[in-house]
Amino acid sequence: MVNAWSFGADKNKFLTDSTTIDSLMQFVGLNRVGLIDNKIKKPKESYLEFNAIAKGYGVDVIAEFLKTKAIYNYLVEIGGEVRVKGQNVEKKLPWRVGIDEPRFDGTQSVLKVIDLKDEAMQLLVPIESLR
């Protein structure tokens, strides 16, 4: 699914309709992966996507650094991985981030904007589009 939407390693978006989504969902899920004799086993047609681990770790490291500097109001975003603390001090409001609405024509739009405080999440819409 991540490759179908061009979020994974394969940047060739090919998803065109809900039928394609349904057919791909049979290959999705951690329940398809297991540990046997200390080896990871998975179906041949499935793969593990670790795309967000480094970005998420980077966000966490930066957040911990800010904490050591007594900074308690921040938004850290690296490639769609977001962690917020406190509030947007300039606006005196919670941090606002957008939830992507994937579209079959290849365009993107914000489905919903949510307020975050002291939370982390993975975004599918660039933060810049919400400013």
Side-chain angles (χ1 to χ4, degrees):
M1 291 298 295
V2 295
N3 286 329
W5 288 111
S6 292
F7 297 133
D10 181 358
K11 294 296 181 185
N12 298 320
K13 186 184 287 190
F14 60 84
L15 190 57
T16 57
D17 58 32
S18 61
T19 304
T20 307
I21 293 174
D22 292 340
S23 68
L24 290 173
M25 287 304 293
Q26 67 181 316
F27 305 113
V28 175
L30 220 65
N31 60 318
R32 300 175 49 77
V33 179
L35 192 61
I36 300 173
D37 296 327
N38 288 325
K39 293 182 181 176
I40 296 174
K41 298 291 183 177
K42 64 170 192 58
K44 188 174 185 177
E45 68 277 359
S46 295
Y47 77 100
L48 301 174
E49 175 66 61
F50 298 104
N51 170 327
I53 292 174
K55 293 182 282 185
Y57 177 71
V59 166
D60 290 342
V61 168
I62 292 169
E64 289 303 314
F65 172 77
L66 294 173
K67 183 178 175 182
T68 67
K69 301 297 180 187
I71 298 172
Y72 299 108
N73 294 290
Y74 60 80
L75 181 150
V76 178
E77 187 264 341
I78 301 175
E81 298 292 327
V82 177
R83 185 166 168 179
V84 303
K85 184 81 172 166
Q87 67 175 355
N88 181 329
V89 177
E90 286 182 13
K91 296 181 180 181
K92 296 182 178 29
L93 293 170
W95 294 106
R96 300 185 59 127
V97 297
I99 306 298
D100 187 37
E101 176 184 26
R103 296 189 172 178
F104 297 113
D105 64 3
T107 62
Q108 290 181 312
S109 68
V110 177
L111 174 67
K112 184 175 183 177
V113 176
I114 62 171
D115 295 340
L116 294 178
K117 182 177 181 182
D118 304 334
E119 298 176 82
M121 68 179 289
Q122 180 182 26
L123 286 178
L124 300 177
V125 160
I127 286 290
E128 294 79 32
S129 68
L130 302 175
R131 291 187 180 134

